[in-house]
Amino acid sequence: MKTLFLSLLLLSPLAAKPNIIYIIADDLGYADLSCYGQKNFSTPHLDKLAASGIRFTRHYSGATVCAPSRCSLMTGKDGGHAAIRGNGPFALPEEEISVAEIAVKAGYNTAMIGKSCVTGNTQTPETVLSSGFSYFYGTTNHRDGHFRYPKFIYRNTEKIEFPGNKLHQGTDYDVNLYTKEALDYIAKQDTKKPFLMVLSYPIPHASVLAPEAALEKARPQVKDEVGLEKSDHYTATPEVKANYIGMMSLLDDAVGNIVAQLGEQGLLEDTLIIFTSDNGPHFEGGYKPELLDSNGPLRGGKRDLYEGGIRVPCIASWPSAIQPGTTTDHPSAFWDFLPTVCELTAQPIPENIQGISFAASLTGKGEQRTHPYLYWEFHEKGIRRAIQVGDWKLVQYNLSNPAKTTAELYDLGKDTGEANDLSKKHPEKLVELLKLIATVRQPVADFPVPSLDK
């Protein structure tokens, strides 16, 4: 009976166009959720969300830092084709088709709340609104997302100031502001028109600061606390672990509040909620992934192209369409979100994207197409790139200096932690992937790689 019930709901007009809430955390590690193995603290609301839907075990961010990762999310393009491939003064080009624009064509209300995905290091809220979002509340400059007590936030193009905030202390904590705004936005929705909301939280990125109430709850969970002295950018953090746990608890509570609000309004059954992170855990603001085992068995973190930098948790819940308590090891990535939205809203998929819809994995309906490869590149630290084909993964560092360029080969099926370089043991596979990786990118003027741009 349940299978028949799900089938009928999938055929109904409302289920065909669900509300979509995409919650993206900033620098949250693969094992920062207890449903992904975290033992030092718990995330009960996110665990409950996972139990109500599907948990992806091989989901990947668009890149290993913020801006290019979010560009992939918005455009359906991987790191070899996206216009933005690094942090800096780079905004989404006008000619790009965004996932929000697709939703608008499908009849959706659209909103972005929190740290903007599309504006680079600029104060340009109008860029968000011109990218398909009819409502915006948040910050646009990446640097502003580093401070838990921002001096101002934009509501559409209006600047809302917080006189009591002094960046590292104040009266209005950014996460609480965004959660309240998200709840208010949901409260205005009804069953007559679906909505897509990108809720972009700027934590647990440094500064590693939680409000005192969250700290009080976190302290009993901490052993062997560590502190941090003030740096040029981040404030002193005398209780790094407690602050990190406090931030994670706020994030977890926010998800719980959003689910409760949807339930109260009768919207939960037909709302697809996705929760994920824009890249692996950071090494900033006094935090290191090993302090709380943020990456579990994975190697590296933010700015790496090992699994720790790009494999991220991904939970999807849609009560009317997703079988509860399921998991999938389907290899998927940020650039798959746009075509998934296209399929769920009956919109044509744009040409020249690398994303593949994972709607079949969500609903269990139809055959799930797989990627021939997944590709990333990173334009800091000597320029790095990686490609994954099935369980095989090639990682190259120091591309800016061909004499020092490395080529490491891993079998992720047997070695998730990338401890054993198999490049010498399997030279034929290394050659195969080196030939492939030479064909999978297009040069872009803002991010030159002299050794590759031929």
Side-chain angles (χ1 to χ4, degrees):
M1 284 297 293
K2 186 160 190 176
T3 301
L4 177 60
F5 174 67
L6 289 172
S7 300
L8 292 172
L9 281 169
L10 283 170
L11 292 173
S12 72
L14 189 57
K17 289 187 178 182
N19 304 309
I20 301 170
I21 299 178
Y22 191 96
I23 305 173
I24 180 170
D26 199 337
D27 294 2
L28 182 146
Y30 183 79
D32 265 334
L33 310 182
S34 38
C35 56
Y36 279 83
Q38 178 56 241
K39 304 296 184 185
N40 294 290
F41 57 88
S42 63
T43 51
H45 295 296
L46 283 159
D47 295 351
K48 186 176 180 180
L49 191 73
S52 73
I54 188 168
R55 187 169 58 88
F56 287 73
T57 60
R58 287 188 65 175
H59 187 72
Y60 292 91
S61 61
T64 190
V65 293
C66 176
S69 187
R70 294 157 190 262
C71 180
S72 284
L73 174 72
M74 294 293 293
T75 64
K77 296 182 178 182
D78 69 12
H81 297 83
I84 301 173
R85 303 187 191 182
N87 288 339
F90 309 105
L92 196 66
E94 290 185 6
E95 64 270 19
E96 292 284 356
I97 300 173
S98 79
V99 67
E101 290 172 314
I102 288 169
V104 169
K105 290 180 180 179
Y108 277 62
N109 293 325
T110 55
M112 177 181 286
I113 296 173
K115 177 179 174 178
S116 166
C117 302
V118 295
T119 49
N121 292 335
T122 65
Q123 299 292 351
T124 54
E126 62 274 10
T127 301
V128 181
L129 298 172
S130 67
S131 300
F133 293 100
S134 55
Y135 184 78
F136 173 58
Y137 181 86
T139 60
T140 63
N141 187 305
H142 284 304
R143 185 181 178 91
D144 291 339
H146 297 174
F147 306 120
R148 302 285 71 82
Y149 296 93
K151 293 184 178 180
F152 63 89
I153 280 174
Y154 293 104
R155 175 176 282 116
N156 294 325
T157 58
E158 179 188 3
K159 199 173 189 179
I160 309 296
E161 297 188 0
F162 301 99
N165 279 3
K166 309 297 180 185
L167 299 183
H168 299 303
Q169 58 183 339
T171 55
D172 296 274
Y173 191 78
D174 59 353
V175 173
N176 294 336
L177 290 169
Y178 298 146
T179 300
K180 181 181 183 302
E181 195 71 19
L183 294 173
D184 288 347
Y185 183 81
I186 294 169
K188 297 173 183 176
Q189 308 304 310
D190 56 35
T191 58
K192 296 178 182 178
K193 188 174 183 179
F195 68 93
L196 178 145
M197 178 173 66
V198 176
L199 179 52
S200 179
Y201 282 111
I203 60 169
H205 190 297
S207 288
V208 184
L209 287 176
E212 184 58 34
L215 273 175
E216 289 179 4
K217 293 180 181 179
R219 286 182 180 117
Q221 304 174 64
V222 175
K223 297 179 180 178
D224 304 318
E225 184 60 272
V226 296
L228 167 74
E229 295 182 358
K230 188 179 186 301
S231 68
D232 293 337
H233 185 57
Y234 300 110
T235 188
T237 307
E239 300 172 272
V240 173
K241 291 183 181 180
N243 275 283
Y244 194 88
I245 293 172
M247 290 196 300
M248 288 300 304
S249 296
L250 284 174
L251 191 59
D252 185 65
D253 287 343
V255 172
N257 289 333
I258 288 165
V259 171
Q261 177 84 14
L262 291 166
E264 290 172 6
Q265 291 180 229
L267 299 175
L268 185 59
E269 287 293 306
D270 293 305
T271 298
L272 168 62
I273 304 172
I274 296 177
F275 177 91
T276 189
S277 174
D278 66 349
N279 48 248
H282 62 79
F283 298 81
E284 298 158 328
Y287 190 73
K288 298 177 182 179
E290 60 266 27
L291 288 177
L292 292 168
D293 196 27
S294 286
N295 251 348
L298 305 185
R299 176 180 178 181
K302 183 178 181 180
R303 294 187 171 83
D304 281 311
L305 289 181
Y306 299 115
E307 294 291 281
I310 52 177
R311 189 187 292 209
V312 292
C314 181
I315 295 167
S317 175
W318 179 9
S320 69
I322 297 177
Q323 187 74 25
T326 55
T327 60
T328 178
D329 61 0
H330 166 64
S332 57
F334 269 30
W335 49 94
D336 295 335
F337 178 58
L338 183 146
T340 301
V341 171
C342 288
E343 183 171 351
L344 295 178
T345 61
Q347 294 298 301
I349 296 175
E351 297 180 355
N352 302 317
I353 69 170
Q354 293 68 55
I356 294 175
S357 170
F358 52 71
S361 290
L362 294 178
T363 65
K365 300 294 180 182
E367 182 177 353
Q368 177 62 64
R369 291 176 55 213
T370 58
H371 287 277
Y373 65 85
L374 297 171
Y375 174 80
W376 304 264
E377 62 183 52
F378 179 54
H379 289 256
E380 298 176 26
K381 294 184 174 290
I383 305 181
R384 301 168 171 182
R385 65 177 177 174
I387 194 167
Q388 186 181 135
V389 179
D391 285 339
W392 289 103
K393 183 179 174 185
L394 169 68
V395 180
Q396 289 191 284
Y397 279 19
N398 299 316
L399 288 160
S400 60
N401 186 343
K404 295 184 178 180
T405 299
T406 60
E408 302 170 30
L409 180 68
Y410 299 100
D411 181 352
L412 297 177
K414 300 176 181 176
D415 181 23
T416 306
E418 295 166 294
N420 301 306
D421 178 7
L422 301 177
S423 57
K424 293 182 179 179
K425 189 174 182 180
H426 293 278
E428 74 293 341
K429 180 59 68 172
L430 177 65
V431 170
E432 176 188 330
L433 294 188
L434 284 170
K435 288 181 178 179
L436 177 61
I437 203 171
T439 69
V440 300
R441 69 182 300 275
Q442 293 180 348
V444 61
D446 286 331
F447 299 95
V449 186
S451 63
L452 303 179
D453 295 345
K454 299 177 182 178

